[in-house]
């Protein structure tokens, strides 16, 4: 074997990549993505599909990549294949492909009748290749974690006015990661400004309540202690014996109230500060708390908040953000309520908009096998081809498989034949769903497993990648093999007086 | 509103969990199929390819049931609104 | 919001997905599946053919090996046959050589025996005169008279070369055994008396005197020894 440049050096490359992976994982901790079954739509304004197909989805994008890869494979094999059986394969990737191809050829030639070998093998190989590449797509690094950082919202249509409105749902805050890109902050789930204002108000209310309680308590103590004061005459009469001027003068209800208020405020501020320490925004806290000034309480926390906010803005500016962007902040997204989706746009570079929306990752590509469109399309094609080859082999006699009325009046078991035929007819439709959901379930569950494991172990979820590698092969093989078997079975008649059937049966054994 | 949301999540989680009980049958079936196939291959190593093909088929059919359960669970969790 | 919206089903997107699926199906079938399946089938056919060829080659090799084995076996059989023949021939040669040697030896022995016999005959011939002379001298002393020397020699001749009467009917090849070598004249006489030309003369001192004549399986014993034996047995 030729000694190449990479011989013996690959391990160091792998080691470097592992270390780089650890650093990236530390810099951008993985975030459990929003799980949804339909393929994620690309953000408006990126790729629009012609013929009214709407917006590109990431599963369709990966499907297109798979198709392109297969076309490249076809051209490659065409250029490299031996021109006759006398030639020996030329080595490299072609050799691997031919080895796999020959194995599958042997596999199918063992079960397909020779007469229908060509279509059966063609279906088998095409399905195998498409499904295999689609399944393995889930193994690509970053397939679930790299994508558009997009605001997450629902469109709610007002029933009365018919106006559509973008309502933020759940998601994460984002922060600038590197290379001018944004990353989700897995530590900080997004809290809407309203919710935060509500929380502030609640905290303020509870602090006020604490202050009131403290004041009431102090006044009670005051009454008990001194008995003086115009509102506590009865109490003073009762407890005149031990009223003390000095004690009473030390109890200041206002001071006690302010103290209690400050305590509650400090606890809440500490909570918010902890959140900020994790890298989150604290939203509109200072606005809510500045209301305290109106209550004549001296403010100690607002300064900190302002300082932190300025730091943040400065940090944002470092990451390629200009003051122009700040100045040219777009329209208020919450006010946007037009039905036109294209007009809806959130600019993460605008701090106001950035804080106003929850963000999620919208992966650029996703394994097509996790999209029902792809699996259902393959299942429909496969079962349609089964019917086609059935008619081709048996002619209209193929229908006798499903509508077995001929024995109905001849034999007492004729009714059972009819029933079995109808069951087979239903079975043909069940097979479509079975095909579609088997592949979808396996690969969807596999990709969820992979990113959940990546989230949990972060650096080395490799065993699961190995597992999914083999699951990908096996599912592709199962899909293709079942298609080939159903096609082989469709060429065989139930009735042995049929010459086609006998021929096919001969070939099948 | 908050409680209704929590109840929905609770219902989804319980429903998905119950749906996944169906995977039990698939697991048992796959175990039986592979056990039989491995014994057959041990006794009859010459017929390994045939046995393997049939085993994969049987496993696929048995697994299909478990996958239906999984799909139902996934639909409950991620599709039902 | 309708339930369909909640599930994210959008008919437009659904349609887009289905159209994209159909387009991809046709495109991929045209660009990937058909050509690649053809290539795969062709390659499989080639491999199958290659396997078949290899099998045929293996079979051919097996045949060749069998052939070679057969040839080797034939060669081995041939070789062992040749070796056997060579061994037999060698054995034969050995036997011949041995026979020749034995013959030679026999001849040498016979020659030696003949030479020894000739020597002995010569000595016995020399001895004969002495014996005659001793016998004459002895008889002169015993009888006290003097026999005519010529007459004595006749007697002695008679003693040694008297052909028994029964022997005159013999025919064929005849062997005449005498105690002393016969002189030529005596031999002629014996021949004449026997009436047979084919006569071999051998000497055996053990018979003391007279002649033993053998013709085939008939033996006429006219030897002194047998007379003495007869005398001894009749005296007893």
């Amino acid at each position: 074997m030729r000694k190449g440049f990479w011989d013996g050096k690959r391990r160091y490359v792998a080691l470097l990549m592992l270390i780089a992976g650890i650093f990236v994982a530390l810099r951008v901790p993985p975030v459990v993505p929003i799980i949804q079954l339909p393929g994620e739509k690309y953000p408006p304004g990126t790729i629009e599909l012609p013929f009214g197909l709407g917006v590109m989805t990431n599963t369709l994008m990966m499907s297109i990549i798979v198709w392109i890869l297969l076309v490249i494979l076809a051209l490659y094999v065409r250029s490299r294949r031996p021109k006759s059986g006398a030639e020996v394969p030329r080595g490299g990737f072609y050799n691997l492909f031919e080895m796999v191809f020959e194995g599958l050829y042997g596999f199918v030639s063992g079960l397909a009748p020779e007469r229908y070998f060509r279509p059966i093998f063609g279906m088998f190989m095409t399905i195998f290749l498409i499904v295999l590449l689609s399944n393995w797509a889930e193994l690509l690094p970053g397939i679930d974690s790299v994508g558009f950082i997009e605001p997450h919202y629902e469109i709610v249509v007002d029933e009365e006015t018919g106006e559509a409105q973008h309502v933020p749902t759940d998601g994460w805050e984002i922060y600038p990661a590197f290379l001018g890109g944004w990353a989700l902050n897995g530590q900080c789930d997004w809290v809407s400004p309203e919710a935060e204002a509500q929380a502030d108000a609640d905290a303020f209310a509870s602090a006020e309540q604490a202050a009131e309680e403290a004041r009431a308590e102090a006044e009670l103590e005051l009454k008990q202690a001194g008995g003086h004061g115009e509102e506590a005459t009865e109490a003073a009469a009762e407890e005149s014996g031990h009223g003390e001027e000095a004690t009473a003068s030390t109890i200041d209800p206002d001071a006690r109230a302010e103290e209690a208020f400050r305590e509650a405020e400090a606890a809440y501020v500490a909570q918010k500060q902890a959140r900020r320490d994790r890298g989150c925004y604290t939203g509109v806290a200072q606005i809510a708390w500045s209301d305290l000034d109106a209550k004549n309480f001296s403010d100690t926390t607002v300064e900190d908040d302002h300082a932190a906010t300025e730091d943040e803005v400065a940090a944002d500016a470092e990451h390629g953000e200009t003051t122009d962007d700040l100045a040219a902040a777009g329209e208020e997204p919450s006010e946007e309520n037009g039905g036109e989706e294209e007009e809806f746009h959130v600019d993460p570079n605008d701090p106001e908009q950035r804080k106003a929306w929850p963000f999620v990752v919208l992966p650029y590509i996703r394994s097509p096998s996790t999209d029902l469109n792809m699996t259902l399309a393959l299942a429909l094609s496969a079962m349609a081809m089964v019917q086609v080859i059935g008619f081709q082999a048996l002619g209209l006699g193929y229908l006798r498989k499903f509508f077995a009325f001929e024995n109905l009046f001849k034999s007492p078991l004729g009714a059972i034949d009819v029933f079995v035929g109808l069951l087979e007819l239903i079975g043909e439709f069940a097979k479509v769903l079975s095909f579609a959901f088997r592949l979808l379930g396996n690969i969807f569950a596999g990709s969820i497993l992979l990113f959940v494991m990546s989230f949990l172990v972060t650096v080395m979820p490799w065993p699961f990648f190995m597992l999914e590698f083999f699951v990908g092969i096996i599912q592709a093989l199962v899909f293709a093999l079942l298609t080939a078997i159903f096609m082989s079975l469709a060429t065989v008649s139930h009735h042995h007086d049929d010459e086609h059937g006998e021929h096919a049966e001969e070939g099948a054994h | 509103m908050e409680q209704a949301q929590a109840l929905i999540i609770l219902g989804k989680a319980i429903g998905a969990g119950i749906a996944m009980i169906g995977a039990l049958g698939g697991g048992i079936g796959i175990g039986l199929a592979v056990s039989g196939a491995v014994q057959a291959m041990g006794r009859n190593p010459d017929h390994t390819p045939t046995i393997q093909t049939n085993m994969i088929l049987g496993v696929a059919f048995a697994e299909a049931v478990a996958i239906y359960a999984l799909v139902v669970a996934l639909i409950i969790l991620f599709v039902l609104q | 919001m309708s339930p369909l919206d909640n599930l994210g089903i959008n008919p437009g997107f659904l349609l887009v997905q289905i159209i994209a699926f159909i387009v991809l199906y046709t495109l991929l079938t045209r660009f990937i599946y058909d050509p690649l399946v053809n290539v795969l089938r062709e390659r499989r056919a080639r491999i199958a053919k290659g396997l078949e060829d290899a099998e045929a080659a293996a079979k051919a090799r097996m045949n060749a090996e069998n052939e070679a084995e057969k040839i080797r076996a034939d060669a081995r059989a041939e070789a062992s046959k040749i070796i056997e023949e060579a061994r037999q021939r060698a054995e034969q040669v050995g036997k011949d050589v041995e026979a020749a040697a034995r013959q030679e030896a026999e001849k040498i022995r016979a020659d030696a025996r003949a030479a020894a016999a000739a020597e002995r005959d010569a000595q016995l011939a020399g001895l004969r005169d002495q014996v005659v002379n001793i016998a004459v001298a002895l008889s002169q002393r015993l009888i006290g008279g003097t026999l005519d020397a010529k007459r004595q020699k006749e007697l002695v001749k008679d003693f040694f070369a008297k052909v028994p009467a029964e022997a005159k009917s013999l025919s064929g090849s005849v062997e005449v055994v005498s105690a002393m070598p016969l002189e030529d004249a005596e031999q002629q006489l014996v021949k004449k008396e026997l009436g047979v030309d084919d006569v071999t003369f051998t000497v055996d001192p053990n018979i003391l005197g007279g002649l033993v004549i053998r013709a085939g399986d008939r033996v006429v014993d006219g030897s002194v020894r047998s007379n003495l034996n007869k005398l001894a047995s009749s005296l007893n």
Side-chain angles (χ1 to χ4, degrees):
Chain A
M1 199 169 152
R2 197 162 48 88
K3 186 141 180 74
F5 174 73
W6 287 107
D7 287 2
K9 291 178 185 166
R10 291 192 186 96
R11 68 190 75 176
Y12 299 109
V13 175
L15 188 67
L16 279 177
M17 286 175 77
L18 175 63
I19 293 169
I22 292 172
F23 275 107
V24 169
L26 289 176
R27 180 73 186 86
V28 192
V31 177
V32 179
I34 301 288
I35 300 167
Q36 68 171 60
L37 186 53
E40 282 95 345
K41 285 191 165 73
Y42 270 25
T46 44
I47 302 181
E48 299 286 337
L49 292 173
F51 312 120
L53 287 174
V55 191
M56 176 74 101
T57 61
N58 52 8
T59 48
L60 185 63
M61 191 67 193
M62 188 64 216
S63 268
I64 291 171
I65 293 174
V66 167
W67 301 335
I68 292 172
L69 283 178
L70 284 180
V71 171
I72 290 172
L73 178 76
L75 296 176
Y76 171 79
V77 168
R78 188 171 175 239
S79 69
R80 296 291 298 271
R81 73 182 155 80
K83 297 294 174 283
S84 76
E87 272 181 67
V88 180
R90 323 280 173 81
F93 176 76
Y94 175 78
N95 237 352
L96 177 72
F97 177 78
E98 203 191 278
M99 189 188 80
V100 173
F101 187 86
E102 191 165 2
L104 296 174
Y105 169 77
F107 213 53
V108 176
S109 58
L111 59 88
E114 181 54 39
R115 191 169 165 191
Y116 302 103
F117 178 80
R118 190 167 173 266
I120 290 178
F121 183 64
M123 286 298 286
F124 178 90
M125 274 309 285
T126 312
I127 288 177
F128 179 78
L129 287 174
I130 292 179
V131 175
L132 185 72
L133 288 184
S134 301
N135 290 354
W136 279 351
E138 65 172 333
L139 301 174
L140 291 177
I143 193 157
D144 281 311
S145 50
V146 177
F148 301 103
I149 302 284
E150 281 296 306
H152 197 215
Y153 54 82
E154 278 172 5
I155 297 172
V156 175
V157 181
D158 195 326
E159 283 174 14
E160 288 171 14
T161 61
E163 281 180 349
Q165 205 167 6
H166 294 85
V167 178
T169 55
D170 47 351
W172 280 268
E173 293 174 1
I174 54 172
Y175 64 100
F178 43 71
L179 301 175
W182 297 89
L184 295 185
N185 192 342
Q187 304 274 342
C188 312
D189 45 342
W190 179 80
V191 182
S192 70
E194 293 81 22
E196 187 154 13
Q198 187 62 46
D200 287 348
D202 289 351
F204 182 66
S206 66
E208 269 190 331
Q209 198 184 339
E212 287 306 322
E213 278 169 10
R215 189 196 302 274
E217 201 180 324
E219 279 170 358
L220 192 61
E221 274 178 33
L222 202 59
K223 263 189 266 173
Q224 283 167 349
H228 69 275
E230 47 280 16
E231 70 272 25
T233 44
E234 321 89 61
E238 270 178 32
E239 301 174 20
S240 56
H242 43 271
E244 278 176 86
E245 189 63 41
T247 317
S249 67
T250 53
I251 297 174
D252 177 7
D254 279 351
R256 292 278 285 272
E258 193 183 339
E259 197 184 329
F261 188 89
R262 288 285 165 227
E263 214 171 286
E265 184 197 28
Y268 184 65
V269 167
Q271 196 185 325
K272 294 196 98 174
Q273 189 61 42
R275 202 173 137 75
R276 172 172 293 179
D277 288 343
R278 298 203 302 264
C280 313
Y281 321 125
T282 48
V284 286
Q286 69 274 24
I287 302 168
W289 288 92
S290 62
D291 291 346
L292 286 175
D293 292 334
K295 300 278 182 189
N296 285 327
F297 293 131
S298 63
D299 196 330
T300 54
T301 60
V302 170
E303 295 296 326
D304 290 345
D305 280 354
H306 277 302
T309 312
E310 276 157 17
D311 281 349
E312 198 182 342
V313 169
D316 289 347
E318 274 175 28
H319 293 281
E321 195 175 337
T322 62
T323 47
D324 289 8
D325 285 333
L326 278 171
E331 64 277 271
E332 200 64 31
S334 52
E335 286 174 7
E336 173 117 4
N337 52 10
E340 301 277 77
E341 255 187 58
E342 285 78 10
E343 286 175 20
F344 181 77
H345 179 64
V346 176
D347 182 12
N349 290 325
D350 179 353
E352 287 307 316
Q353 292 190 43
R354 195 195 319 153
K355 288 169 191 173
W357 289 95
F359 284 87
V360 288
V361 166
L362 199 158
Y364 292 125
I365 47 175
R366 203 176 92 184
S367 170
S369 306
T370 62
D371 187 343
L372 213 60
N373 286 320
M374 182 265 193
T375 60
L376 202 58
L378 283 192
L380 284 172
S381 309
M383 289 317 290
M385 199 66 185
V386 169
Q387 314 312 320
V388 166
I389 206 165
F391 279 112
Q392 206 179 353
L394 304 176
L396 284 176
Y398 180 67
L399 286 175
R400 278 193 286 176
K401 212 177 228 177
F402 307 121
F403 305 104
F405 293 120
E406 60 206 27
N407 287 332
L408 186 54
F409 302 111
K410 288 185 204 160
S411 127
L413 294 176
I416 292 180
D417 279 0
V418 173
F419 184 66
V420 168
L422 288 178
L423 271 190
E424 279 211 40
L425 186 60
I426 297 167
E428 295 298 301
F429 292 99
K431 277 173 194 165
V432 175
L433 292 182
S434 172
F435 266 137
F437 280 107
R438 180 187 300 118
L439 184 59
L440 175 96
N442 266 299
I443 305 306
F444 192 55
S447 64
I448 290 176
L449 173 80
L450 282 187
F451 65 64
V452 168
M453 282 302 152
S454 300
F455 173 70
L456 291 179
V457 244
T458 303
V459 180
M460 281 195 279
W462 296 345
F464 300 97
F465 276 81
M466 287 302 290
L467 176 78
E468 285 309 313
F469 180 82
F470 288 116
V471 167
I473 296 177
I474 287 175
Q475 287 310 315
L477 203 58
V478 163
F479 202 123
L481 193 61
L482 284 180
T483 308
I485 286 173
F486 289 152
M487 285 173 82
S488 300
L489 287 180
T491 61
V492 183
S493 168
H494 284 324
H495 310 280
H496 292 284
D497 50 348
D498 199 318
E499 77 271 20
H500 291 293
E502 273 172 14
H503 177 89
E505 214 163 25
E506 240 167 60
H509 291 299
Chain B
M1 189 61 200
E2 202 61 31
Q3 277 189 348
Q5 202 70 31
L7 267 180
I8 288 173
I9 291 173
L10 178 75
K12 278 184 180 180
I14 291 175
I18 291 174
M20 282 312 289
I21 293 175
L24 194 68
I28 294 171
I30 292 171
L32 285 176
V34 175
S35 147
V38 168
Q39 280 186 6
M41 281 187 251
R43 289 186 188 163
N44 218 345
D46 291 346
H47 292 264
T48 300
T50 325
I51 298 169
Q52 225 160 21
T53 312
N54 288 323
M55 182 194 81
I56 290 174
L57 277 183
V59 165
F61 284 126
E63 195 199 21
V65 179
I67 292 296
Y68 298 152
L70 177 70
V71 168
V72 169
L74 291 176
I75 287 175
I76 290 173
L77 282 179
F78 304 122
V79 176
L80 285 186
Q81 296 293 309
Chain C
M1 287 176 113
S2 73
L4 280 188
D5 282 344
N6 281 344
L7 286 171
I9 294 176
N10 177 332
F13 285 180
L14 205 60
L15 204 64
V16 167
Q17 293 271 3
I18 290 174
I19 291 169
F21 177 80
I22 293 166
V23 169
L24 277 177
Y25 172 79
T26 41
L27 189 80
L28 294 177
T29 302
R30 192 165 142 57
F31 279 1
I32 302 187
Y33 310 148
D34 283 353
L36 263 192
V37 164
N38 284 341
V39 164
L40 284 186
R41 284 190 170 152
E42 204 177 315
R43 192 179 295 157
R44 283 190 180 193
R46 280 179 71 91
I47 289 171
K49 192 165 166 292
L51 284 178
E52 231 164 64
D53 288 356
E55 206 168 309
K59 206 177 275 176
R61 207 187 57 195
M62 189 75 80
N63 286 344
E65 267 172 14
N66 286 344
E67 195 81 0
E69 187 57 35
K70 206 174 136 204
I71 288 170
R72 265 200 296 275
D74 286 357
R76 258 200 295 276
E78 188 85 358
S80 60
K81 199 174 137 204
I82 288 168
I83 289 170
E84 183 63 23
E85 271 175 10
R87 204 169 53 79
Q88 278 173 1
R89 203 173 296 155
E91 236 167 50
Q92 190 60 40
V93 168
K95 260 183 209 159
D96 290 356
V97 167
E98 195 189 337
R102 198 170 289 151
Q103 218 171 338
E104 187 83 357
E106 196 59 39
K107 195 174 154 233
I108 289 168
R109 211 179 301 146
D111 286 356
R113 206 179 290 142
E119 180 72 13
R120 191 188 57 192
D121 286 359
Q123 281 177 359
L124 283 177
L127 208 60
R128 182 182 158 136
D129 286 345
Q130 287 179 355
V131 169
V132 171
N133 291 337
I134 290 166
V136 170
L138 248 163
S139 63
Q140 275 175 353
R141 192 94 32 112
L142 279 174
I143 303 165
T146 328
L147 286 177
D148 184 7
K150 198 174 175 196
R151 173 83 179 132
Q152 282 180 346
K153 282 197 180 170
E154 282 298 323
L155 277 174
V156 173
K157 246 183 221 174
D158 210 30
F159 179 77
F160 282 116
K162 171 97 182 307
V163 178
E166 306 97 77
K168 296 205 172 113
S169 62
L170 290 174
S171 60
S173 113
V174 175
E175 184 186 7
V176 175
V177 182
S178 59
M180 289 285 167
L182 298 181
E183 291 162 1
D184 288 343
E186 286 170 347
Q187 285 183 357
Q188 293 300 326
L189 188 68
V190 169
K191 277 184 190 173
K192 205 165 112 196
E193 283 193 5
L194 284 172
V196 179
D197 275 342
D198 186 10
V199 179
T200 52
F201 295 94
T202 55
V203 176
D204 184 3
N206 286 334
I207 66 172
L208 297 175
L211 295 172
V212 175
I213 296 163
R214 287 191 191 111
D217 52 349
R218 284 188 60 195
V219 176
V220 177
D221 197 348
S223 67
V224 174
R225 172 174 288 274
S226 70
N227 287 343
L228 284 174
N229 282 349
K230 264 182 230 165
L231 185 66
S233 63
S234 64
L235 283 176
N236 287 339

